[in-house]
Amino acid sequence: MSLNYDTLKSVFFKFDPETVHKIAEITMIGANCVFPGSLSFLANKCVINDARLQQNLLGSIYNNPIGIGGGFDKNATMFAALTALGFGYLEFGTFTPKAQPGNQKPRLFRLVEEESIQNAMGFNNDGSQKIKQRVEKLYPNVVPLWANIGKNKITPNEKAIEDYEVLVKDFSEICDAFVVNISSPNTPNLRDLQESEFITELFSKIKPLTKKPIILKISPDLSHEKAIKLSQSAVANGADGIIVSNTSIDYSLSNSPKLQNFGGLSGKVITQKSREIFKAVADELYGKTVLIACGGIDNAQEAYDRIKMGASLIQIFTSFIFKGPMICRDINEGVLKLLEADGYANISEAIGVDIRK
């Protein structure tokens, strides 16, 4: 399978990455129609059902800790295929109240030699009403669904909370958790909202609107002190979890000739940066909230290391593009071997073990 994907990747990587993503989306949407039973075949190959990976978190059952991060399935069109590929949960979006085209193209770049991506998409999406119509037909899903919500580009920061309120109201009955995105670098001034005062006001407004968990996603470019303070403020005001982290605009991390001077970096180039800020936040908040690790995770050992650092769940994105459709299975199988080697009967025993030592 890896050889087949390497061959396919060598062809796909000759084309514009956004075009390839669209092809992948169309393929995922139509796979079961064109080839009946194909998703069942995929699920048999990719889904790992092992009680040692199962957790009861955030009001839902997670059969394994690996989720697809926001930005891959922006418009909630690929749930069936992504579920068949073995993900333990799916995050759709980021979407906004009104449809918007996103930033000017080209806005997605492969840094192939570094197994990384640089994106400046800008919350391009079909808008909440179209996405709501899709999700209503599919919820509840076999695995938990997280709604990643953002503000429209044309919404001024002083009215940003209104956008988040609208989205929480509209999706409260058709998702299993919300992810508040104020950390994307691709919407002008969005990261300016990463302040404790805004977080306090935001959560005071949106928490009463839903019984579903609300998770805050933070930037890896914050100082560790600010990341901790922001996360503490979010948890104190009702956040049920923290995702560490979004993409980075620290361009010193890459030596690629394809590097642009705009857009957020993801993939291997941010592994170390993301790991370090996750550790800083986890050392302070482990046991006080659910921690989700994201950023440069592309193998079982890296996933397991972050689990031991305090992550209950893991998110991948860029590694899915570079490693292929079997990555979820490979990471889960690898984590099971690492749990067994350390003598743990369940993943919950390994979560935060490095902090508890």
Side-chain angles (χ1 to χ4, degrees):
M1 176 60 73
S2 61
L3 178 61
N4 289 341
Y5 183 68
D6 286 343
T7 303
L8 191 62
K9 187 169 67 173
S10 68
V11 175
F12 277 163
F13 277 21
K14 296 181 187 300
F15 297 92
D16 169 73
E18 196 166 346
T19 300
V20 173
H21 186 85
K22 192 64 183 176
I23 293 170
E25 180 182 15
I26 292 168
T27 302
M28 288 189 184
I29 294 169
N32 224 38
C33 297
V34 179
F35 303 105
S38 60
L39 293 186
S40 296
F41 174 80
L42 267 182
N44 286 333
K45 295 284 186 182
C46 300
V47 174
I48 302 296
N49 284 314
D50 193 304
R52 291 173 293 173
L53 293 177
Q54 190 176 94
Q55 300 176 80
N56 190 338
L57 290 171
L58 301 168
S60 298
I61 299 297
Y62 292 78
N63 289 323
N64 74 70
I66 312 301
I68 187 76
F72 189 86
D73 189 8
K74 288 179 176 290
N75 294 309
T77 58
M78 296 182 269
F79 289 169
L82 291 170
T83 300
L85 288 172
F87 287 98
Y89 63 101
L90 310 177
E91 184 178 331
F92 63 98
T94 299
F95 61 94
T96 52
K98 298 175 183 175
Q100 57 183 31
N103 295 325
Q104 186 175 352
K105 298 179 182 181
R107 56 193 181 182
L108 188 61
F109 309 89
R110 298 186 199 94
L111 313 182
V112 176
E113 65 285 349
E114 296 175 334
E115 292 189 20
S116 299
I117 293 288
Q118 189 169 20
N119 97 80
M121 303 300 285
F123 291 174
N124 55 304
N125 72 100
D126 291 344
S128 63
Q129 290 312 300
K130 280 190 178 180
I131 293 170
K132 182 180 180 182
Q133 290 169 10
R134 289 187 194 117
V135 179
E136 282 175 332
K137 296 173 184 175
L138 301 168
Y139 186 83
N141 189 44
V142 177
V143 302
L145 300 176
W146 294 8
N148 184 313
I149 56 176
K151 80 169 188 72
N152 277 113
K153 183 178 181 178
I154 60 172
T155 302
N157 277 4
E158 56 268 24
K159 293 191 174 183
I161 288 176
E162 295 176 16
D163 279 9
Y164 292 102
E165 286 179 307
V166 166
L167 296 173
V168 170
K169 286 177 184 175
D170 280 355
F171 283 79
S172 184
E173 300 303 318
I174 53 170
C175 73
D176 297 293
F178 288 98
V179 177
V180 173
N181 190 345
I182 56 170
S183 53
S184 168
N186 300 318
T187 294
N189 306 316
L190 183 69
R191 284 188 169 187
D192 293 346
L193 300 177
Q194 292 186 119
E195 298 292 343
S196 294
E197 295 78 10
F198 177 80
I199 292 299
T200 298
E201 185 181 0
L202 173 67
F203 276 86
S204 73
K205 294 288 181 64
I206 62 176
K207 279 297 286 185
L209 301 178
T210 182
K211 294 180 180 178
K212 299 297 173 66
I214 304 177
I215 300 163
L216 179 67
K217 190 169 195 172
I218 66 171
S219 162
D221 299 324
L222 297 169
S223 70
H224 290 182
E225 293 74 18
K226 185 166 183 179
I228 291 166
K229 182 182 177 184
L230 195 69
S231 299
Q232 288 173 328
S233 178
V235 172
N237 286 283
D240 300 282
I242 306 290
I243 299 175
V244 188
S245 59
N246 211 318
T247 59
S248 174
I249 53 171
D250 180 358
Y251 302 139
S252 69
L253 297 172
S254 173
N255 295 310
S256 173
K258 298 289 182 65
L259 182 70
Q260 309 295 311
N261 62 357
F262 60 94
L265 294 168
S266 62
K268 278 192 172 183
V269 293
I270 71 164
T271 300
Q272 185 67 25
K273 188 180 186 80
S274 181
R275 185 193 299 137
E276 289 173 357
I277 194 170
F278 180 85
K279 183 180 187 307
V281 172
D283 284 350
E284 296 295 329
L285 275 89
Y286 170 73
K288 300 173 184 175
T289 193
V290 174
L291 298 172
I292 301 101
C294 180
I297 301 169
D298 70 347
N299 61 76
Q301 187 64 60
E302 185 65 37
Y304 190 59
D305 287 347
R306 299 209 205 180
I307 288 166
K308 292 193 296 180
M309 287 163 59
S312 295
L313 298 169
I314 302 293
Q315 289 191 339
I316 64 172
F317 183 124
T318 304
S319 55
F320 183 44
I321 295 167
F322 283 95
K323 294 294 180 69
M326 293 298 179
I327 187 170
C328 207
R329 181 202 67 182
D330 293 344
I331 292 178
N332 280 316
E333 286 182 342
V335 168
L336 284 168
K337 289 177 182 177
L338 291 164
L339 287 171
E340 187 173 353
D342 285 344
Y344 297 127
N346 184 273
I347 190 173
S348 59
E349 296 174 24
I351 295 167
V353 68
D354 287 350
I355 299 174
R356 291 185 268 118
K357 284 179 180 177

